[in-house]
Amino acid sequence: MIAMLMIAVAAGAASALMFASIISGALVSLLLFYLAPLPLMVTALGWGPLAAAVGGIAASATLGAIFGIPYSIAFAVMVALPGWWLGHLALLGRTIDPMPAGNPAAQAPPAIEWYPVGRILVWIAVFAFITTTGALLTLGADAETITAALRRGLIKVLSASSQPIGDVERFADMLVIVAPIAATIIAMVTLTLNLWLAAKVTLTSGRLNRPWPELRATVLPPMTLVALLVAIALSFVGGIVAILAQIVTTALMIAYALIGFAVLHTLTLSMASRGFLLAGAYTVVAAFGWPIIAMVALGIADALFGLRQRFLQTRPPPLPAS
């Protein structure tokens, strides 16, 4: 118990320092800020969700005492809560009903059904929505106030450049529209990446208390597509409802983009140049951004038409996962 508490406090301290480093304004602090959930996620996966909860509570209290309650709340919502809950879900499993009595296979260890990775992706989308919405609501309670506050802040930042004031205002107007979407994308990508890195670290150390999931088989719950369609429709309503719907739409589209990459990993199983194609796809999306639309379309197409299932039914057994 003492060792667990020491690890929990150390992880919380590391996360708190990484989170608070953004105050320095250094470029590297931005990377540390986005990786702040990583120590707590590693603790949750390697030593249990209780250790991550203890570390998160200790870190939140310390940040509150040093920098004030707003920093404490921001850390709890953006770092501690996702780190604890996603780690808990990753280790959540249930025993499948044992074989009937008299069957020789009944003596085998019971199989465990682990919490689906697709549902974890939905939870990541929920946290992306919460963090982005929370940040916007600190600016105001209605669309006009939020937009005006964002515009003033962006103009203040952009005015430091040598661009004419008219160009700055036009650029700020464009960024006001893009900012909530960009913030949601960053939240989705960073939380997903942190969880993947934490799982890799604990797997390498031998402390991951579950088998590595087959990520290319990940599927989202069927109702996710319905939620996406409803969010898209509400995005045209206007006002604060439209802003919130756009955040939900972005989060779910990124989730489907990740499914699209899983589909691509499956559809290229029999290709000799698979590694080159996959590396090229990741590079193009990371470099240009907009090709992620193709991944979103691929993920949605798989949800509608079962592309992976059709491929696996008409191809030889796949090669070992890479």
Side-chain angles (χ1 to χ4, degrees):
M1 178 62 72
I2 295 178
M4 186 271 286
L5 289 175
M6 292 177 63
I7 292 170
V9 171
S15 287
L17 286 173
M18 295 166 73
F19 181 82
S21 68
I22 196 68
I23 299 174
S24 68
L27 185 60
V28 69
S29 67
L30 192 61
L31 176 62
L32 294 175
F33 176 80
Y34 287 128
L35 290 176
L38 183 59
L40 289 177
M41 286 184 177
V42 170
T43 303
L45 294 175
W47 287 267
L50 178 60
V54 171
I57 292 171
S60 298
T62 302
L63 285 174
I66 297 174
F67 300 106
I69 298 301
Y71 276 92
S72 177
I73 295 175
F75 177 84
V77 173
M78 298 176 64
V79 178
L81 184 59
W84 163 71
W85 184 243
L86 294 177
H88 164 70
L89 293 179
L91 296 180
L92 191 62
R94 61 182 180 182
T95 303
I96 301 177
D97 291 338
M99 300 287 289
N103 191 319
Q107 304 302 320
I112 297 178
E113 181 183 19
W114 298 97
Y115 195 79
V117 176
R119 292 184 181 272
I120 295 178
L121 273 181
V122 172
W123 274 106
I124 292 175
V126 170
F127 283 119
F129 171 79
I130 291 173
T131 55
T132 306
T133 302
L136 291 179
L137 291 180
T138 60
L139 303 176
D142 58 85
E144 292 76 15
T145 305
I146 292 173
T147 300
L150 271 176
R151 189 174 185 273
R152 286 194 302 271
L154 290 169
I155 289 176
K156 183 177 180 181
V157 172
L158 295 173
S159 295
S161 66
S162 58
Q163 296 296 323
I165 188 65
D167 294 340
V168 168
E169 290 181 351
R170 284 193 294 270
F171 192 41
D173 290 337
M174 182 185 68
L175 289 180
V176 164
I177 300 173
V178 176
I181 296 174
T184 307
I185 293 174
I186 291 172
M188 281 291 297
V189 172
T190 54
L191 279 176
T192 304
L193 180 61
N194 274 299
L195 185 59
W196 182 83
L197 286 173
K200 280 294 184 182
V201 169
T202 49
L203 178 67
T204 303
S205 66
R207 295 200 64 91
L208 185 61
N209 294 318
R210 61 158 294 169
W212 187 260
E214 189 178 2
L215 296 180
R216 66 171 180 238
T218 302
V219 294
L220 294 174
M223 288 303 295
T224 307
L225 188 56
V226 177
L228 175 60
L229 295 176
V230 172
I232 292 174
L234 292 177
S235 297
F236 298 96
V237 171
I240 189 66
V241 173
I243 294 177
L244 299 181
Q246 289 166 9
I247 295 173
V248 174
T249 299
T250 303
L252 294 181
M253 288 182 72
I254 295 300
Y256 273 109
L258 295 172
I259 297 300
F261 279 111
V263 175
L264 190 63
H265 274 262
T266 301
L267 299 184
T268 56
L269 280 172
S270 58
M271 296 184 180
S273 57
R274 181 172 184 257
F276 176 78
L277 291 172
L278 292 175
Y282 282 105
T283 302
V284 168
V285 170
F288 299 103
W290 64 264
I292 199 172
I293 297 174
M295 292 297 102
V296 175
L298 189 58
I300 293 176
D302 180 73
L304 292 174
F305 306 112
L307 300 181
R308 284 175 290 184
Q309 184 178 4
R310 292 171 181 267
F311 172 82
L312 294 175
Q313 286 176 346
T314 57
R315 291 294 188 279
L319 299 173
S322 59

